[in-house]
Short mmCIF file of all heavy atoms in Angstrom, two decimals:
data_model
loop_
_atom_site.label_atom_id
_atom_site.label_comp_id
_atom_site.label_asym_id
_atom_site.label_seq_id
_atom_site.Cartn_x
_atom_site.Cartn_y
_atom_site.Cartn_z
N GLY A 1 286.97 -55.96 303.64
CA GLY A 1 285.94 -55.71 304.61
C GLY A 1 286.21 -56.47 305.90
O GLY A 1 287.10 -57.31 305.99
N LEU A 2 285.40 -56.18 306.86
CA LEU A 2 285.55 -56.80 308.18
C LEU A 2 284.97 -58.19 308.25
O LEU A 2 285.28 -58.94 309.16
CB LEU A 2 284.88 -55.92 309.25
CG LEU A 2 285.56 -54.62 309.60
CD1 LEU A 2 284.69 -53.81 310.54
CD2 LEU A 2 286.90 -54.88 310.23
N GLY A 3 284.07 -58.56 307.36
CA GLY A 3 283.44 -59.86 307.46
C GLY A 3 282.44 -59.93 308.59
O GLY A 3 282.33 -60.95 309.26
N ILE A 4 281.72 -58.82 308.82
CA ILE A 4 280.70 -58.78 309.87
C ILE A 4 279.42 -58.20 309.29
O ILE A 4 279.45 -57.43 308.33
CB ILE A 4 281.14 -57.96 311.10
CG1 ILE A 4 281.39 -56.50 310.71
CG2 ILE A 4 282.35 -58.58 311.76
CD1 ILE A 4 281.59 -55.58 311.89
N ILE A 5 278.30 -58.59 309.90
CA ILE A 5 277.02 -58.00 309.53
C ILE A 5 276.08 -58.09 310.73
O ILE A 5 275.91 -59.16 311.31
CB ILE A 5 276.43 -58.67 308.28
CG1 ILE A 5 275.18 -57.95 307.82
CG2 ILE A 5 276.18 -60.13 308.49
CD1 ILE A 5 274.71 -58.35 306.45
N PRO A 6 275.50 -56.95 311.14
CA PRO A 6 274.53 -56.99 312.23
C PRO A 6 273.24 -57.60 311.73
O PRO A 6 272.80 -57.30 310.61
CB PRO A 6 274.35 -55.52 312.61
CG PRO A 6 274.75 -54.76 311.40
CD PRO A 6 275.74 -55.60 310.66
N VAL A 7 272.63 -58.48 312.51
CA VAL A 7 271.41 -59.14 312.07
C VAL A 7 270.22 -58.93 312.99
O VAL A 7 269.09 -59.13 312.59
CB VAL A 7 271.63 -60.66 311.85
CG1 VAL A 7 272.53 -60.91 310.67
CG2 VAL A 7 272.15 -61.33 313.10
N GLU A 8 270.47 -58.51 314.23
CA GLU A 8 269.34 -58.30 315.14
C GLU A 8 269.74 -57.32 316.24
O GLU A 8 270.85 -57.38 316.76
CB GLU A 8 268.92 -59.63 315.77
CG GLU A 8 267.63 -59.55 316.54
CD GLU A 8 267.11 -60.91 316.96
OE1 GLU A 8 267.77 -61.93 316.69
OE2 GLU A 8 266.02 -60.95 317.56
N VAL A 9 268.82 -56.41 316.56
CA VAL A 9 269.02 -55.47 317.65
C VAL A 9 267.96 -55.75 318.70
O VAL A 9 266.77 -55.69 318.41
CB VAL A 9 268.92 -54.01 317.17
CG1 VAL A 9 269.09 -53.05 318.34
CG2 VAL A 9 269.96 -53.72 316.09
N LEU A 10 268.41 -56.10 319.88
CA LEU A 10 267.52 -56.36 321.01
C LEU A 10 267.68 -55.25 322.04
O LEU A 10 268.54 -54.38 321.90
CB LEU A 10 267.85 -57.72 321.61
CG LEU A 10 267.78 -58.90 320.64
CD1 LEU A 10 268.34 -60.16 321.28
CD2 LEU A 10 266.36 -59.12 320.17
N ALA A 11 266.87 -55.28 323.07
CA ALA A 11 266.92 -54.23 324.09
C ALA A 11 268.29 -54.12 324.75
O ALA A 11 268.76 -53.02 325.04
CB ALA A 11 265.85 -54.47 325.14
N ASP A 12 268.95 -55.27 324.94
CA ASP A 12 270.21 -55.26 325.69
C ASP A 12 271.44 -55.62 324.87
O ASP A 12 272.55 -55.55 325.37
CB ASP A 12 270.11 -56.21 326.88
CG ASP A 12 269.83 -57.65 326.44
OD1 ASP A 12 269.30 -57.84 325.33
OD2 ASP A 12 270.14 -58.57 327.21
N LYS A 13 271.23 -56.03 323.60
CA LYS A 13 272.40 -56.44 322.81
C LYS A 13 272.12 -56.36 321.31
O LYS A 13 270.98 -56.28 320.88
CB LYS A 13 272.82 -57.86 323.17
CG LYS A 13 271.79 -58.92 322.81
CD LYS A 13 272.25 -60.29 323.25
CE LYS A 13 271.14 -61.32 323.09
NZ LYS A 13 271.55 -62.63 323.61
N ILE A 14 273.21 -56.39 320.57
CA ILE A 14 273.17 -56.44 319.12
C ILE A 14 273.83 -57.75 318.71
O ILE A 14 274.93 -58.06 319.16
CB ILE A 14 273.92 -55.25 318.50
CG1 ILE A 14 273.26 -53.93 318.93
CG2 ILE A 14 273.96 -55.37 316.98
CD1 ILE A 14 274.05 -52.70 318.57
N ILE A 15 273.16 -58.51 317.87
CA ILE A 15 273.71 -59.77 317.39
C ILE A 15 274.37 -59.53 316.04
O ILE A 15 273.76 -58.97 315.13
CB ILE A 15 272.62 -60.85 317.29
CG1 ILE A 15 272.03 -61.09 318.68
CG2 ILE A 15 273.20 -62.14 316.70
CD1 ILE A 15 270.83 -62.00 318.70
N VAL A 16 275.64 -59.93 315.95
CA VAL A 16 276.44 -59.69 314.76
C VAL A 16 277.00 -61.01 314.25
O VAL A 16 277.58 -61.78 315.03
CB VAL A 16 277.61 -58.71 315.07
CG1 VAL A 16 278.52 -58.53 313.87
CG2 VAL A 16 277.07 -57.36 315.54
N LEU A 17 276.81 -61.27 312.97
CA LEU A 17 277.45 -62.43 312.35
C LEU A 17 278.87 -62.05 311.97
O LEU A 17 279.11 -60.93 311.51
CB LEU A 17 276.70 -62.85 311.09
CG LEU A 17 275.26 -63.27 311.25
CD1 LEU A 17 274.66 -63.65 309.90
CD2 LEU A 17 275.11 -64.42 312.23
N THR A 18 279.80 -62.97 312.16
CA THR A 18 281.18 -62.70 311.81
C THR A 18 281.80 -63.92 311.16
O THR A 18 281.53 -65.05 311.54
CB THR A 18 282.04 -62.28 313.03
OG1 THR A 18 283.37 -62.03 312.59
CG2 THR A 18 282.05 -63.33 314.12
N ALA A 19 282.64 -63.64 310.18
CA ALA A 19 283.41 -64.71 309.53
C ALA A 19 284.81 -64.77 310.13
O ALA A 19 285.57 -65.68 309.84
CB ALA A 19 283.49 -64.46 308.03
N GLU A 20 285.13 -63.77 310.95
CA GLU A 20 286.47 -63.67 311.53
C GLU A 20 286.35 -63.48 313.05
O GLU A 20 286.48 -62.37 313.56
CB GLU A 20 287.21 -62.50 310.90
CG GLU A 20 287.32 -62.62 309.38
CD GLU A 20 287.93 -61.40 308.74
OE1 GLU A 20 288.64 -60.65 309.42
OE2 GLU A 20 287.66 -61.20 307.56
N PRO A 21 286.13 -64.56 313.79
CA PRO A 21 285.87 -64.43 315.22
C PRO A 21 287.05 -63.91 316.05
O PRO A 21 286.86 -63.47 317.18
CB PRO A 21 285.49 -65.85 315.64
CG PRO A 21 286.12 -66.73 314.63
CD PRO A 21 286.12 -65.95 313.35
N PHE A 22 288.25 -63.95 315.49
CA PHE A 22 289.41 -63.46 316.25
C PHE A 22 289.78 -62.03 315.87
O PHE A 22 290.64 -61.43 316.51
CB PHE A 22 290.59 -64.41 316.06
CG PHE A 22 290.28 -65.80 316.53
CD1 PHE A 22 290.11 -66.83 315.63
CD2 PHE A 22 290.12 -66.08 317.88
CE1 PHE A 22 289.80 -68.12 316.06
CE2 PHE A 22 289.81 -67.36 318.33
CZ PHE A 22 289.65 -68.37 317.41
N ALA A 23 289.16 -61.48 314.85
CA ALA A 23 289.37 -60.08 314.47
C ALA A 23 288.27 -59.27 315.15
O ALA A 23 287.19 -59.07 314.61
CB ALA A 23 289.32 -59.94 312.95
N THR A 24 288.56 -58.81 316.35
CA THR A 24 287.53 -58.15 317.16
C THR A 24 287.90 -56.72 317.57
O THR A 24 287.26 -56.15 318.45
CB THR A 24 287.25 -58.97 318.44
OG1 THR A 24 288.46 -59.10 319.18
CG2 THR A 24 286.67 -60.33 318.11
N SER A 25 288.89 -56.14 316.93
CA SER A 25 289.29 -54.78 317.32
C SER A 25 288.16 -53.78 317.13
O SER A 25 288.07 -52.79 317.86
CB SER A 25 290.53 -54.34 316.53
OG SER A 25 290.26 -54.35 315.15
N TRP A 26 287.27 -54.03 316.20
CA TRP A 26 286.13 -53.14 315.95
C TRP A 26 285.16 -53.12 317.13
O TRP A 26 284.43 -52.14 317.31
CB TRP A 26 285.41 -53.55 314.67
CG TRP A 26 284.95 -54.97 314.66
CD1 TRP A 26 285.66 -56.07 314.27
CD2 TRP A 26 283.69 -55.45 315.11
NE1 TRP A 26 284.90 -57.21 314.44
CE2 TRP A 26 283.69 -56.86 314.96
CE3 TRP A 26 282.55 -54.84 315.63
CZ2 TRP A 26 282.60 -57.65 315.29
CZ3 TRP A 26 281.46 -55.63 315.97
CH2 TRP A 26 281.50 -57.01 315.79
N LEU A 27 285.15 -54.17 317.94
CA LEU A 27 284.26 -54.22 319.10
C LEU A 27 284.52 -53.08 320.08
O LEU A 27 283.59 -52.47 320.60
CB LEU A 27 284.40 -55.55 319.83
CG LEU A 27 283.64 -56.73 319.27
CD1 LEU A 27 284.07 -58.01 319.97
CD2 LEU A 27 282.15 -56.53 319.38
N ASP A 28 285.81 -52.79 320.31
CA ASP A 28 286.17 -51.73 321.25
C ASP A 28 285.66 -50.37 320.79
O ASP A 28 285.36 -49.51 321.61
CB ASP A 28 287.70 -51.67 321.43
CG ASP A 28 288.24 -52.90 322.12
OD1 ASP A 28 287.47 -53.55 322.86
OD2 ASP A 28 289.43 -53.21 321.91
N GLU A 29 285.54 -50.19 319.49
CA GLU A 29 285.08 -48.92 318.95
C GLU A 29 283.55 -48.82 318.93
O GLU A 29 282.98 -47.78 319.25
CB GLU A 29 285.62 -48.74 317.53
CG GLU A 29 285.34 -47.39 316.94
CD GLU A 29 286.00 -47.22 315.59
OE1 GLU A 29 287.05 -47.83 315.34
OE2 GLU A 29 285.44 -46.47 314.78
N LEU A 30 282.89 -49.91 318.58
CA LEU A 30 281.44 -49.86 318.40
C LEU A 30 280.63 -50.07 319.68
O LEU A 30 279.56 -49.48 319.83
CB LEU A 30 281.00 -50.89 317.36
CG LEU A 30 281.45 -50.62 315.94
CD1 LEU A 30 280.90 -51.67 315.00
CD2 LEU A 30 281.01 -49.24 315.49
N THR A 31 281.11 -50.88 320.60
CA THR A 31 280.33 -51.18 321.81
C THR A 31 279.95 -49.91 322.58
O THR A 31 278.79 -49.74 322.93
CB THR A 31 281.08 -52.19 322.70
OG1 THR A 31 281.31 -53.38 321.93
CG2 THR A 31 280.27 -52.54 323.93
N PRO A 32 280.88 -49.00 322.83
CA PRO A 32 280.49 -47.78 323.56
C PRO A 32 279.52 -46.90 322.78
O PRO A 32 278.67 -46.23 323.36
CB PRO A 32 281.81 -47.03 323.78
CG PRO A 32 282.88 -48.04 323.56
CD PRO A 32 282.33 -49.05 322.62
N GLN A 33 279.62 -46.90 321.46
CA GLN A 33 278.72 -46.07 320.65
C GLN A 33 277.27 -46.55 320.74
O GLN A 33 276.35 -45.76 320.78
CB GLN A 33 279.17 -46.07 319.19
CG GLN A 33 280.45 -45.31 318.97
CD GLN A 33 280.86 -45.30 317.51
OE1 GLN A 33 280.07 -45.49 316.62
NE2 GLN A 33 282.15 -45.09 317.28
N PHE A 34 277.09 -47.87 320.77
CA PHE A 34 275.74 -48.43 320.81
C PHE A 34 275.21 -48.58 322.23
O PHE A 34 274.01 -48.77 322.43
CB PHE A 34 275.69 -49.78 320.10
CG PHE A 34 275.93 -49.67 318.62
CD1 PHE A 34 276.97 -50.34 318.03
CD2 PHE A 34 275.12 -48.88 317.83
CE1 PHE A 34 277.20 -50.25 316.66
CE2 PHE A 34 275.34 -48.77 316.47
CZ PHE A 34 276.37 -49.46 315.88
N LYS A 35 276.11 -48.55 323.20
CA LYS A 35 275.74 -48.71 324.61
C LYS A 35 274.96 -50.01 324.83
O LYS A 35 274.02 -50.07 325.62
CB LYS A 35 274.96 -47.50 325.10
CG LYS A 35 275.78 -46.22 325.07
CD LYS A 35 275.01 -45.07 325.63
CE LYS A 35 275.88 -43.86 325.72
NZ LYS A 35 275.68 -42.86 324.72
N LYS A 36 275.35 -51.04 324.10
CA LYS A 36 274.76 -52.38 324.23
C LYS A 36 275.88 -53.39 324.07
O LYS A 36 276.90 -53.11 323.46
CB LYS A 36 273.72 -52.64 323.14
CG LYS A 36 272.51 -51.75 323.21
CD LYS A 36 271.55 -52.08 322.10
CE LYS A 36 270.39 -51.11 322.16
NZ LYS A 36 269.12 -51.74 321.96
N ASP A 37 275.66 -54.56 324.62
CA ASP A 37 276.60 -55.65 324.38
C ASP A 37 276.48 -56.09 322.93
O ASP A 37 275.41 -55.97 322.33
CB ASP A 37 276.30 -56.84 325.29
CG ASP A 37 276.62 -56.55 326.75
OD1 ASP A 37 277.48 -55.69 327.02
OD2 ASP A 37 275.99 -57.19 327.61
N ILE A 38 277.56 -56.59 322.38
CA ILE A 38 277.55 -57.14 321.04
C ILE A 38 277.84 -58.63 321.14
O ILE A 38 278.88 -59.02 321.68
CB ILE A 38 278.56 -56.44 320.12
CG1 ILE A 38 278.17 -54.97 319.97
CG2 ILE A 38 278.62 -57.13 318.76
CD1 ILE A 38 279.11 -54.14 319.13
N GLU A 39 276.90 -59.43 320.67
CA GLU A 39 277.05 -60.88 320.70
C GLU A 39 277.48 -61.35 319.31
O GLU A 39 276.82 -61.05 318.31
CB GLU A 39 275.71 -61.53 321.06
CG GLU A 39 275.75 -63.03 321.09
CD GLU A 39 274.41 -63.62 321.45
OE1 GLU A 39 273.81 -63.16 322.45
OE2 GLU A 39 273.96 -64.54 320.74
N LEU A 40 278.60 -62.05 319.26
CA LEU A 40 279.12 -62.55 317.99
C LEU A 40 278.62 -63.96 317.73
O LEU A 40 278.59 -64.79 318.63
CB LEU A 40 280.65 -62.55 318.00
CG LEU A 40 281.33 -61.21 318.18
CD1 LEU A 40 282.83 -61.39 318.17
CD2 LEU A 40 280.90 -60.24 317.10
N ARG A 41 278.26 -64.20 316.47
CA ARG A 41 277.90 -65.55 316.04
C ARG A 41 278.68 -65.86 314.78
O ARG A 41 278.74 -65.05 313.86
CB ARG A 41 276.40 -65.65 315.77
CG ARG A 41 275.60 -65.44 317.04
CD ARG A 41 274.19 -65.83 316.88
NE ARG A 41 273.46 -65.55 318.13
CZ ARG A 41 272.15 -65.54 318.19
NH1 ARG A 41 271.42 -65.78 317.12
NH2 ARG A 41 271.56 -65.29 319.34
N LEU A 42 279.29 -67.01 314.76
CA LEU A 42 280.12 -67.42 313.64
C LEU A 42 279.27 -67.73 312.41
O LEU A 42 278.21 -68.35 312.51
CB LEU A 42 280.94 -68.65 314.03
CG LEU A 42 282.03 -69.07 313.07
CD1 LEU A 42 283.04 -67.95 312.84
CD2 LEU A 42 282.74 -70.30 313.61
N CYS A 43 279.76 -67.29 311.27
CA CYS A 43 279.04 -67.47 310.01
C CYS A 43 280.07 -67.64 308.89
O CYS A 43 281.10 -66.96 308.90
CB CYS A 43 278.17 -66.24 309.75
SG CYS A 43 277.13 -66.33 308.31
N PRO A 44 279.82 -68.50 307.92
CA PRO A 44 280.77 -68.65 306.81
C PRO A 44 280.89 -67.35 306.01
O PRO A 44 279.88 -66.65 305.82
CB PRO A 44 280.16 -69.76 305.94
CG PRO A 44 279.12 -70.42 306.77
CD PRO A 44 278.69 -69.42 307.80
N PRO A 45 282.08 -67.03 305.54
CA PRO A 45 282.27 -65.81 304.75
C PRO A 45 281.33 -65.75 303.54
O PRO A 45 280.82 -64.67 303.21
CB PRO A 45 283.72 -65.88 304.29
CG PRO A 45 284.39 -66.81 305.25
CD PRO A 45 283.34 -67.76 305.72
N SER A 46 281.07 -66.87 302.91
CA SER A 46 280.19 -66.86 301.74
C SER A 46 278.77 -66.42 302.10
O SER A 46 278.10 -65.74 301.32
CB SER A 46 280.15 -68.25 301.09
OG SER A 46 279.66 -69.21 302.01
N GLN A 47 278.32 -66.77 303.29
CA GLN A 47 276.98 -66.37 303.73
C GLN A 47 276.92 -64.88 304.02
O GLN A 47 275.94 -64.22 303.69
CB GLN A 47 276.56 -67.17 304.97
CG GLN A 47 275.10 -67.08 305.29
CD GLN A 47 274.22 -67.76 304.26
OE1 GLN A 47 274.61 -68.75 303.66
NE2 GLN A 47 273.04 -67.23 304.05
N ILE A 48 277.97 -64.34 304.62
CA ILE A 48 278.02 -62.90 304.88
C ILE A 48 278.03 -62.15 303.55
O ILE A 48 277.31 -61.16 303.38
CB ILE A 48 279.23 -62.54 305.76
CG1 ILE A 48 278.97 -63.07 307.18
CG2 ILE A 48 279.47 -61.03 305.78
CD1 ILE A 48 280.09 -62.86 308.15
N THR A 49 278.81 -62.61 302.60
CA THR A 49 278.84 -61.99 301.27
C THR A 49 277.45 -62.02 300.64
O THR A 49 276.98 -61.03 300.07
CB THR A 49 279.85 -62.70 300.36
OG1 THR A 49 281.14 -62.59 300.96
CG2 THR A 49 279.88 -62.09 298.98
N HIS A 50 276.77 -63.14 300.77
CA HIS A 50 275.41 -63.27 300.23
C HIS A 50 274.48 -62.25 300.88
O HIS A 50 273.72 -61.56 300.18
CB HIS A 50 274.89 -64.69 300.47
CG HIS A 50 273.45 -64.86 300.12
ND1 HIS A 50 273.01 -64.96 298.82
CD2 HIS A 50 272.34 -64.93 300.91
CE1 HIS A 50 271.69 -65.08 298.83
NE2 HIS A 50 271.27 -65.07 300.08
N PHE A 51 274.51 -62.13 302.21
CA PHE A 51 273.66 -61.17 302.91
C PHE A 51 273.96 -59.74 302.47
O PHE A 51 273.04 -58.95 302.22
CB PHE A 51 273.82 -61.28 304.43
CG PHE A 51 273.23 -62.51 305.03
CD1 PHE A 51 273.88 -63.15 306.06
CD2 PHE A 51 272.03 -63.04 304.60
CE1 PHE A 51 273.34 -64.30 306.65
CE2 PHE A 51 271.48 -64.17 305.18
CZ PHE A 51 272.15 -64.80 306.21
N LEU A 52 275.23 -59.40 302.37
CA LEU A 52 275.59 -58.05 301.96
C LEU A 52 275.12 -57.75 300.54
O LEU A 52 274.62 -56.66 300.25
CB LEU A 52 277.11 -57.84 302.08
CG LEU A 52 277.64 -57.78 303.51
CD1 LEU A 52 279.16 -57.74 303.50
CD2 LEU A 52 277.08 -56.58 304.25
N ASN A 53 275.26 -58.72 299.65
CA ASN A 53 274.78 -58.53 298.28
C ASN A 53 273.28 -58.31 298.26
O ASN A 53 272.78 -57.46 297.51
CB ASN A 53 275.16 -59.72 297.40
CG ASN A 53 276.64 -59.73 297.07
OD1 ASN A 53 277.31 -58.71 297.10
ND2 ASN A 53 277.16 -60.91 296.77
N GLU A 54 272.55 -59.06 299.06
CA GLU A 54 271.09 -58.89 299.14
C GLU A 54 270.74 -57.48 299.61
O GLU A 54 269.83 -56.85 299.08
CB GLU A 54 270.48 -59.92 300.08
CG GLU A 54 270.49 -61.33 299.54
CD GLU A 54 269.56 -61.53 298.37
OE1 GLU A 54 268.43 -61.01 298.40
OE2 GLU A 54 269.97 -62.21 297.42
N ILE A 55 271.45 -57.00 300.62
CA ILE A 55 271.19 -55.66 301.14
C ILE A 55 271.43 -54.62 300.06
O ILE A 55 270.63 -53.70 299.87
CB ILE A 55 272.07 -55.38 302.39
CG1 ILE A 55 271.58 -56.22 303.56
CG2 ILE A 55 272.06 -53.89 302.74
CD1 ILE A 55 272.54 -56.26 304.73
N PHE A 56 272.53 -54.75 299.32
CA PHE A 56 272.84 -53.77 298.29
C PHE A 56 271.84 -53.81 297.14
O PHE A 56 271.48 -52.79 296.57
CB PHE A 56 274.27 -53.95 297.78
CG PHE A 56 275.31 -53.57 298.80
CD1 PHE A 56 276.34 -54.44 299.10
CD2 PHE A 56 275.25 -52.36 299.47
CE1 PHE A 56 277.30 -54.10 300.06
CE2 PHE A 56 276.20 -52.01 300.42
CZ PHE A 56 277.22 -52.88 300.71
N VAL A 57 271.33 -55.00 296.81
CA VAL A 57 270.31 -55.11 295.76
C VAL A 57 269.03 -54.39 296.18
O VAL A 57 268.45 -53.62 295.41
CB VAL A 57 270.03 -56.60 295.43
CG1 VAL A 57 268.76 -56.77 294.61
CG2 VAL A 57 271.22 -57.21 294.70
N VAL A 58 268.60 -54.61 297.41
CA VAL A 58 267.40 -53.96 297.92
C VAL A 58 267.61 -52.44 297.99
O VAL A 58 266.74 -51.66 297.59
CB VAL A 58 266.99 -54.54 299.29
CG1 VAL A 58 265.88 -53.72 299.92
CG2 VAL A 58 266.57 -55.99 299.14
N GLN A 59 268.77 -52.02 298.47
CA GLN A 59 269.07 -50.59 298.57
C GLN A 59 269.02 -49.94 297.19
O GLN A 59 268.45 -48.87 297.02
CB GLN A 59 270.44 -50.39 299.22
CG GLN A 59 270.82 -48.93 299.37
CD GLN A 59 272.23 -48.77 299.94
OE1 GLN A 59 273.09 -49.60 299.71
NE2 GLN A 59 272.43 -47.71 300.68
N LYS A 60 269.60 -50.59 296.20
CA LYS A 60 269.61 -50.05 294.84
C LYS A 60 268.19 -49.96 294.29
O LYS A 60 267.82 -48.98 293.64
CB LYS A 60 270.47 -50.93 293.94
CG LYS A 60 270.63 -50.39 292.55
CD LYS A 60 271.57 -51.25 291.73
CE LYS A 60 271.71 -50.70 290.32
NZ LYS A 60 272.60 -51.52 289.50
N ALA A 61 267.37 -50.97 294.57
CA ALA A 61 265.98 -50.95 294.12
C ALA A 61 265.22 -49.77 294.73
O ALA A 61 264.47 -49.09 294.02
CB ALA A 61 265.30 -52.27 294.46
N PHE A 62 265.41 -49.52 296.01
CA PHE A 62 264.75 -48.39 296.65
C PHE A 62 265.20 -47.06 296.05
O PHE A 62 264.40 -46.16 295.84
CB PHE A 62 264.98 -48.40 298.17
CG PHE A 62 264.03 -49.27 298.92
CD1 PHE A 62 264.48 -50.42 299.56
CD2 PHE A 62 262.68 -48.97 299.00
CE1 PHE A 62 263.60 -51.24 300.26
CE2 PHE A 62 261.79 -49.77 299.70
CZ PHE A 62 262.26 -50.91 300.33
N LYS A 63 266.48 -46.94 295.78
CA LYS A 63 266.98 -45.70 295.16
C LYS A 63 266.37 -45.51 293.78
O LYS A 63 266.00 -44.39 293.42
CB LYS A 63 268.51 -45.74 295.07
CG LYS A 63 269.19 -45.49 296.38
CD LYS A 63 270.71 -45.47 296.22
CE LYS A 63 271.40 -45.24 297.53
NZ LYS A 63 272.86 -45.23 297.39
N ASN A 64 266.26 -46.58 293.01
CA ASN A 64 265.65 -46.48 291.68
C ASN A 64 264.19 -46.08 291.76
O ASN A 64 263.72 -45.25 290.98
CB ASN A 64 265.82 -47.79 290.91
CG ASN A 64 267.24 -48.04 290.48
OD1 ASN A 64 268.04 -47.12 290.37
ND2 ASN A 64 267.57 -49.30 290.24
N ILE A 65 263.46 -46.64 292.72
CA ILE A 65 262.05 -46.28 292.89
C ILE A 65 261.93 -44.82 293.27
O ILE A 65 261.10 -44.09 292.71
CB ILE A 65 261.39 -47.19 293.96
CG1 ILE A 65 261.25 -48.60 293.41
CG2 ILE A 65 260.03 -46.63 294.37
CD1 ILE A 65 260.88 -49.64 294.47
N ALA A 66 262.77 -44.37 294.20
CA ALA A 66 262.73 -42.97 294.63
C ALA A 66 263.05 -42.04 293.47
O ALA A 66 262.42 -40.98 293.31
CB ALA A 66 263.69 -42.75 295.79
N ARG A 67 264.01 -42.41 292.65
CA ARG A 67 264.41 -41.59 291.50
C ARG A 67 263.25 -41.50 290.50
O ARG A 67 262.96 -40.44 289.95
CB ARG A 67 265.65 -42.17 290.83
CG ARG A 67 266.27 -41.27 289.80
CD ARG A 67 267.57 -41.80 289.20
NE ARG A 67 268.48 -42.33 290.19
CZ ARG A 67 268.93 -43.60 290.22
NH1 ARG A 67 268.57 -44.45 289.29
NH2 ARG A 67 269.75 -43.99 291.15
N GLU A 68 262.57 -42.61 290.26
CA GLU A 68 261.45 -42.64 289.31
C GLU A 68 260.27 -41.83 289.80
O GLU A 68 259.56 -41.21 289.00
CB GLU A 68 261.01 -44.08 289.06
CG GLU A 68 262.01 -44.90 288.27
CD GLU A 68 261.65 -46.37 288.19
OE1 GLU A 68 260.56 -46.75 288.67
OE2 GLU A 68 262.47 -47.14 287.66
N GLN A 69 260.04 -41.81 291.11
CA GLN A 69 258.91 -41.08 291.66
C GLN A 69 259.18 -39.58 291.76
O GLN A 69 258.26 -38.79 291.85
CB GLN A 69 258.54 -41.63 293.03
CG GLN A 69 257.94 -43.01 292.97
CD GLN A 69 257.57 -43.55 294.33
OE1 GLN A 69 257.95 -43.01 295.36
NE2 GLN A 69 256.83 -44.64 294.34
N GLY A 70 260.44 -39.20 291.77
CA GLY A 70 260.78 -37.79 291.87
C GLY A 70 260.57 -37.27 293.28
O GLY A 70 260.25 -38.02 294.19
N PRO A 71 260.71 -35.94 293.45
CA PRO A 71 260.55 -35.34 294.80
C PRO A 71 259.13 -35.51 295.31
O PRO A 71 258.16 -35.44 294.55
CB PRO A 71 260.89 -33.87 294.59
CG PRO A 71 261.30 -33.72 293.17
CD PRO A 71 261.05 -34.99 292.45
N ALA A 72 259.05 -35.74 296.61
CA ALA A 72 257.72 -35.87 297.23
C ALA A 72 257.06 -34.51 297.32
O ALA A 72 257.71 -33.49 297.49
CB ALA A 72 257.86 -36.48 298.63
N GLY A 73 255.75 -34.53 297.27
CA GLY A 73 255.03 -33.29 297.50
C GLY A 73 254.24 -32.94 296.36
O GLY A 73 253.60 -32.14 295.96
#
């Protein structure tokens, strides 16, 4: 993985945590798509892994809830 995770979207910029501050080739691709500046903040790789795991746990829980509830309507 890239070792990045977006953590905040503001009116003029997106704040991204990165474990690899010198690996920035992705910036050239994403900045024009978002039409906002991207501000990098250094973060330990273990913390990024922790955040990503938390996101996937929550995502899985939502999918399970949706599956249990069945189609809406």
Side-chain angles (χ1 to χ4, degrees):
L2 288 173
I4 62 170
I5 186 167
V7 292
E8 190 171 3
V9 178
L10 303 171
D12 60 337
K13 65 183 171 184
I14 299 170
I15 299 173
V16 176
L17 299 180
T18 180
E20 303 174 22
F22 300 109
T24 59
S25 60
W26 57 272
L27 278 171
D28 293 335
E29 187 175 330
L30 292 182
T31 302
Q33 290 181 22
F34 293 121
K35 296 183 174 104
K36 296 180 183 223
D37 291 334
I38 297 178
E39 179 180 311
L40 299 180
R41 295 193 182 166
L42 190 58
C43 184
S46 60
Q47 194 68 32
I48 290 177
T49 300
H50 172 76
F51 288 142
L52 290 173
N53 287 336
E54 290 291 319
I55 290 168
F56 291 129
V57 166
V58 171
Q59 181 183 31
K60 185 176 180 181
F62 276 113
K63 284 183 181 179
N64 288 338
I65 290 168
R67 190 176 315 120
E68 290 172 5
Q69 291 180 348

